[in-house]
């Protein structure tokens, strides 16, 4: 069975391709490479023995997107990752985010409708909850005010899919995941931000290895146990496996409606400073960081109730925060070693 993965050269897309292949699926990727390279595809081939074809297509171009579907009429599902995802950038350039993230989604759905693709899995985000008043959040938690244009595109994307689902037969799942971190245990693929990363773990590993002189902890006066933001960090391979399970769930026709939502998190809130401490413990590296001001767009605290995904998808996150940090560090070290050998 063939699956189309958009954003397949990106961080979560690449790890999901590995998990899909490990569970017997054939995969085709679409990625414009505006925020990625094909480097992770080489890693996928080394891990799985399968060479992945990537269409270098901008999904905001309907004609080019249509051509991909025309060539792959036998796909059983689409997993849609492709989106811009940097919160500070979205605050600074909201129109870029609204255009890219929503136009690409609409074009994908137009093609799904025309080519009668039966199954669709959407990469959503815990950012849709905003500053939730009660934790942990469940799928029925009312969506709060979006704290960034990025978060708003995820809220709007979910609503577009709900409205589409009311009048079409496509079976859809919205996966709201929390904070994916870590790398494949082989250290052959991992997070590969182009330019300066805005998310925590690449900032930690790049600082530890010397790519960055220091890092800033954004905000240390929040109403949390140590003053830093609380997040639900989850290993990227656990996230990847949930996408495979979501697709299989739809293929097995276990869904009770044609648009369902699942939280993907560990259920444990970890502060930024606790994550740094976990990294220092497993790596033996003392991190050069300083406490700085709050960053626009950041939510104070968010973590998941993941009971529904466990019950319906048979999914279970398996990796703790120290192993998440260990695999992220192994990946960063492998990047350095590869650069030195070249």
């Amino acid at each position: 069975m063939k699956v189309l993965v958009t954003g397949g050269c990106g961080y979560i897309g690449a790890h999901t391709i590995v998990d899909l292949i490990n569970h017997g699926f054939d995969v085709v990727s679409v990625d414009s490479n505006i925020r990625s390279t094909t480097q992770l595809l080489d890693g996928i081939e080394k891990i799985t023995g399968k060479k992945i074809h990537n269409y270098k297509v901008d999904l905001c171009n309907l004609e080019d997107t249509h051509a991909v579907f025309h060539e792959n009429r036998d796909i059983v599902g689409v997993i849609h990752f492709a989106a811009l995802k940097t919160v500070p950038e979205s605050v600074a350039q909201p129109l870029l985010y609204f255009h890219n993230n929503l136009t690409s989604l609409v074009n994908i759905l137009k093609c799904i409708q025309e080519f009668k693709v039966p199954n669709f899995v959407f990469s959503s985000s815990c950012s849709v909850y905003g500053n939730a008043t009660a934790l942990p959040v469940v799928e029925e938690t009312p969506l709060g005010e979006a704290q960034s244009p990025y978060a708003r595109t995820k809220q709007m994307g979910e609503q577009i899919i709900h409205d589409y689902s009311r009048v079409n037969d496509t079976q859809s799942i919205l996966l709201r995941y929390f904070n994916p971190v870590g790398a494949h245990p082989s250290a052959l693929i991992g997070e590969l931000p182009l330019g300066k990363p805005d998310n925590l773990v690449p900032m930690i590993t790049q600082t530890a290895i010397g790519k960055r002189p220091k890092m800033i902890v954004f905000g240390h006066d929040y109403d949390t146990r140590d003053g830093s933001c609380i997040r639900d960090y989850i290993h990227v391979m656990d996230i990847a496996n949930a996408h495979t399970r979501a697709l299989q769930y739809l293929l097995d026709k276990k869904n009770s409606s044609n648009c369902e939502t699942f939280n993907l998190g560990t259920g444990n809130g970890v502060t930024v400073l606790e994550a740094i401490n976990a990294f220092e413990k497993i790596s033996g590296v003392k991190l050069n960081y300083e406490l700085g001001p709050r960053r626009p767009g950041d939510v104070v605290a968010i973590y998941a109730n993941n009971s529904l995904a466990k019950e319906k998808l048979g999914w279970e996150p398996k990796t703790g925060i120290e192993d998440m940090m260990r695999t992220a560090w192994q990946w960063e070290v492998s990047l350095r070693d590869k650069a030195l050998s070249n």
Side-chain angles (χ1 to χ4, degrees), residues 206-225:
Q206 289 189 8
T207 302
I209 209 143
K211 288 181 180 176
R212 303 159 60 94
K214 67 178 179 182
M215 65 166 283
I216 308 295
V217 173
F218 295 107
H220 55 95
D221 58 351
Y222 288 107
D223 184 17
T224 62
R225 52 186 171 267

Side-chain angles (χ1 to χ4, degrees), residues 81-141:
F81 294 105
L84 299 176
K85 62 172 188 174
T86 304
V87 168
E89 182 184 54
S90 78
V91 173
Q93 300 186 65
L95 294 182
L96 173 67
Y97 272 66
F98 291 128
H99 171 72
N100 184 85
N101 293 4
L102 299 177
T103 305
S104 59
L105 172 61
V106 169
N107 285 347
I108 284 285
L109 289 174
K110 283 179 177 178
C111 292
I112 283 174
Q113 182 181 45
E114 178 178 344
F115 291 93
K116 296 182 169 54
V117 178
N119 304 300
F120 180 60
V121 179
F122 178 63
S123 164
S124 192
S125 164
C126 65
S127 65
V128 299
Y129 293 112
N131 276 312
T133 54
L135 295 172
V137 292
V138 295
E139 287 78 1
E140 293 78 25
T141 296

Side-chain angles (χ1 to χ4, degrees), residues 133-275:
T133 54
L135 295 172
V137 292
V138 295
E139 287 78 1
E140 293 78 25
T141 296
L143 304 190
E145 175 66 20
Q147 297 299 296
S148 68
Y150 163 74
R152 202 176 300 282
T153 67
K154 291 301 183 183
Q155 289 181 340
M156 295 168 75
E158 286 194 5
Q159 195 56 60
I160 288 168
I161 296 164
H162 275 293
D163 289 341
Y164 169 85
S165 297
R166 290 189 181 100
V167 291
N168 287 277
D169 294 331
T170 309
Q171 308 297 298
S172 298
I173 285 182
L174 315 176
L175 294 179
R176 291 174 180 163
Y177 38 85
F178 284 64
N179 292 76
V181 297
H184 191 271
S186 67
L188 290 168
I189 59 173
E191 193 162 7
L192 195 63
L194 298 186
K196 182 181 174 184
D198 286 306
N199 42 332
L200 179 65
V201 175
M203 284 198 281
I204 289 175
T205 60
Q206 289 189 8
T207 302
I209 209 143
K211 288 181 180 176
R212 303 159 60 94
K214 67 178 179 182
M215 65 166 283
I216 308 295
V217 173
F218 295 107
H220 55 95
D221 58 351
Y222 288 107
D223 184 17
T224 62
R225 52 186 171 267
D226 61 20
S228 62
C229 289
I230 292 176
R231 296 290 182 267
D232 189 339
Y233 299 102
I234 180 164
H235 196 273
V236 65
M237 287 308 299
D238 287 334
I239 288 279
N241 180 248
H243 288 79
T244 304
R245 288 177 179 270
L247 183 59
Q248 195 62 57
Y249 174 82
L250 293 176
L251 288 166
D252 293 342
K253 303 196 182 307
K254 292 182 177 178
N255 50 313
S256 54
S257 73
N258 66 346
C259 188
E260 295 186 2
T261 303
F262 296 98
N263 283 337
L264 300 182
T266 63
N268 299 312
V270 175
T271 71
V272 170
L273 293 175
E274 287 167 349

